[in-house]
Amino acid sequence: MLASAILAVTVCGPSARAQEPARDDVIARGEYVARAADCAACHSVPGEAPFAGGMAFHLPTGTLYAPNITPDRQTGIGQYSEAEFSRALRRGIRRDGTTLYPAMPYPSYARLTDEDVHVLYVYFMQGVKPVVHVVAQDGMSWPMSMRWPLSIWRMLYAPDPKAVRQDMDRRTFADPLVARGSYLVEGPGHCGACHTPRALTMQEKALTAEDGPLYLSGGDAVDGWRPVSLRGENRTGLGRWNEQDIVRFLATGRMPLGAAFGGMTDAIGHGTQHMTDEDRLAIARYLKTISPAAPALARGWTYDPAVTDALHAGDVSARGARAYVDSCAACHRTDGHGYPTTFPPLAGNPVVMDPKPDSLIRIVLEGNTLRATRQAPSAFVMPGFAARMDDSTVADTVTFIRAAWGNDAPAVTVTDVARIRRTLSPEHPPVSVPMN
């Protein structure tokens, strides 16, 4: 008994306690990488246990459910070794040897450093609470329900992590912040997974800025929201955003030229708002090094006051003008300038001028919530107008917005609106819900 007591004192003594801060530091660093990689956005269902999985992704080929990645040994990843964890993360191969669907951004995670993989593993195994949660089997339609063809897809389109790391070592940057930004954007941040177009075979057409002008040039719709270009286009990209605009947007989801919507809301809420100012600046500085996708897209936007003058004179004869004044102008103003960082401007807004109007139509129909963040603790809600406006009225209103104040974007048709309306969730908030 005495020997046991002495042993207990030895194990719990100063040397053991000295090791605790080191372990806690690794867990903290792993949590930071998990934030940067936005793991919670896919693997956490709002209101339920973190990382317990179950989030449904409705795809043209069926429904995919994010797995439980808590350290529960039966329903989560608790039996994964660090090597198996790394293989799943960077190569898309599960512990049982089957290939993950590329909804898991392992083509981007292939760029993760060994150190970041290690701290992630420690965080998920020691810093995350294990949760018993059996996730529904994938509801993918045949033949996409078969996983063996995914191994062929992975061999064709997913980069080899070792080759990727050699490429990372080869690249040089004059500014260390740009180097850090390239790693965050192309690797853990996996920005290209949404903001880069995909081929018919579903691979991203470019994985890094070195792969050509399609990288970050704007992606296909994700859950009905179209990710905009993050390149240097003046009208439809980040050409008129400076570094501090981007830093502010990543921290708060809002800045003078626009506000977050769709999946970017979750990316900010779970991820970028928790990053350091230096890392947000690194991302911004890197993005500002990326030129427009094509010279023709560099045409600048200039404010045109003609519509403002007409509305101030009581002229609502333009298509959609009356609907805009009745339903939109109170927040976004007749001059289109809005109330920046509260109600975003529509004049010169890249989302408004996007060649594809899907996101703007969806916002009008479904509404949007500008969520609270650490640095911007007030939330603001735009109601959806699906119950108040028919397809023709929505088309007229969106067409007016896209044509006014120098936006000069193509008109929207009733068919465009009907297509988006069919995809609305039946649970979207009715217009009668009290707002703000």
Side-chain angles (χ1 to χ4, degrees), residues 293-421:
L297 298 176
R299 180 171 67 95
W301 173 83
T302 302
Y303 185 81
D304 183 348
V307 166
T308 301
D309 294 341
L311 294 181
H312 288 179
D315 181 0
V316 290
S317 60
R319 176 187 172 187
R322 183 173 294 279
Y324 177 81
V325 170
D326 290 345
S327 298
C328 312
C331 295
H332 299 286
R333 296 169 45 179
T334 51
D335 61 8
H337 290 313
Y339 297 92
T341 72
T342 300
F343 302 118
L346 301 177
N349 190 312
V351 177
V352 172
M353 295 185 287
D354 193 292
K356 296 183 179 179
D358 295 23
S359 293
L360 186 58
I361 295 171
R362 180 170 292 275
I363 288 172
V364 172
L365 289 171
E366 197 169 53
N368 187 50
T369 299
L370 189 56
R371 297 182 191 169
T373 61
R374 288 180 170 184
Q375 295 187 31
S378 297
F380 298 95
V381 179
M382 172 182 162
F385 292 94
R388 277 183 46 190
M389 291 184 177
D390 60 20
D391 292 351
S392 178
T393 305
V394 173
D396 288 349
T397 305
V398 174
T399 294
F400 174 81
I401 293 168
R402 281 167 63 83
W405 311 299
N407 291 338
D408 299 330
V412 171
T413 68
V414 172
T415 302
D416 292 329
V417 179
R419 173 174 53 84
I420 301 299
R421 190 187 289 270

Side-chain angles (χ1 to χ4, degrees), residues 270-290:
H270 292 294
T272 58
Q273 71 158 320
H274 301 282
M275 298 175 76
T276 63
D277 289 337
E278 184 177 30
D279 273 352
R280 285 191 288 261
L281 179 59
I283 291 172
R285 187 160 297 178
Y286 168 68
L287 290 177
K288 291 301 292 182
T289 68
I290 303 178

